[in-house]
């Protein structure tokens, strides 16, 4: 499925196999985490972190943008079924179920976004690409100390 999406997104052929690996590995991490933890949101968060790390590594090794691997790899985690169920139960006037699936869908989407943000931020700090952030923090701290 991930490779099919990568083909439809016109990802260069030389990156298709690694994109498929990232998505497959991420899905495996999700299944393992969900079985151990019993929580879809936590499993999604852990899996999205693994996918983001692999995407960062692949981007550096294969000299490609991170999004080439990240977007294709994240696809299996996207809560499409939750969105469908939210609309379905809303249409059938079952507010309790619609509310449950809406909250779960939003939490899963948030977990994906948060995992990507955390790993990207950590990577930028480790590699020194986030130097301007350090400078802003230092200037802000110095201004606060003078007051």
């Amino acid at each position: 499925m991930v490779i099919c999406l990568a083909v439809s997104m016109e990802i260069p052929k030389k990156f298709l196999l690694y994109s498929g690996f990232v998505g497959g590995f991420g899905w495996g991490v999700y299944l393992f985490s969900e079985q151990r933890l019993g929580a879809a949101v936590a499993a999604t968060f852990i899996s999205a972190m693994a996918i983001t790390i692999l995407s960062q590594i692949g981007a550096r090794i294969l000299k490609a943008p991170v999004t080439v691997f990240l977007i294709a790899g994240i696809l299996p985690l996207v809560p499409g079924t939750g969105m469908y169920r939210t609309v379905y139960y809303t249409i059938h006037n079952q507010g309790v179920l619609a509310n449950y699936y809406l909250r779960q869908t939003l939490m899963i989407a948030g977990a994906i976004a948060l995992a990507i943000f955390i790993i990207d931020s950590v990577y930028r700090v480790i590699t020194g690409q986030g130097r301007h952030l350090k400078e802003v923090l230092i200037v802000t701290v110095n201004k606060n100390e003078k007051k």
Side-chain angles (χ1 to χ4, degrees):
M1 175 175 81
V2 174
I3 293 177
C4 291
L5 173 73
V7 169
S8 71
M9 291 174 38
E10 299 180 8
I11 290 176
K13 289 181 183 179
K14 62 183 178 180
F15 303 136
L16 291 178
L17 194 58
Y18 190 77
S19 293
F21 171 75
V22 170
F25 184 81
W27 186 246
V29 170
Y30 173 81
L31 292 175
F32 179 79
S33 299
E34 188 179 37
Q35 184 181 30
R36 296 283 183 227
L37 302 173
V41 176
T44 301
F45 180 75
I46 293 167
S47 179
M49 288 181 76
I51 290 168
T52 307
I53 290 169
L54 285 176
S55 297
Q56 290 282 356
I57 292 169
R60 301 306 163 256
I61 292 171
L62 300 172
K63 297 186 184 348
V66 175
T67 54
V68 167
F69 310 112
L70 186 61
I71 292 174
I74 288 290
L75 178 72
L77 301 180
V78 174
T81 305
M83 290 182 263
Y84 171 80
R85 288 180 178 164
T86 300
V87 172
Y88 178 84
Y89 288 121
T90 301
I91 290 170
H92 286 90
N93 213 14
Q94 295 180 355
V96 174
L97 287 172
N99 186 30
Y100 169 77
Y101 285 113
L102 175 62
R103 284 186 291 124
Q104 185 180 31
T105 300
L106 292 175
M107 286 190 296
I108 289 172
I112 293 170
L114 186 62
I116 292 169
F117 174 74
I118 289 171
I119 297 300
D120 187 55
S121 297
V122 167
Y123 172 78
R124 286 177 187 270
V125 168
I126 289 172
T127 61
Q129 291 179 358
R131 273 183 258 153
H132 66 281
L133 296 175
K134 281 185 192 176
E135 293 168 4
V136 168
L137 288 174
I138 290 170
V139 169
T140 304
V141 169
N142 288 340
K143 284 182 181 178
N144 288 336
E145 288 177 356
K146 290 179 182 178
K147 291 181 182 180

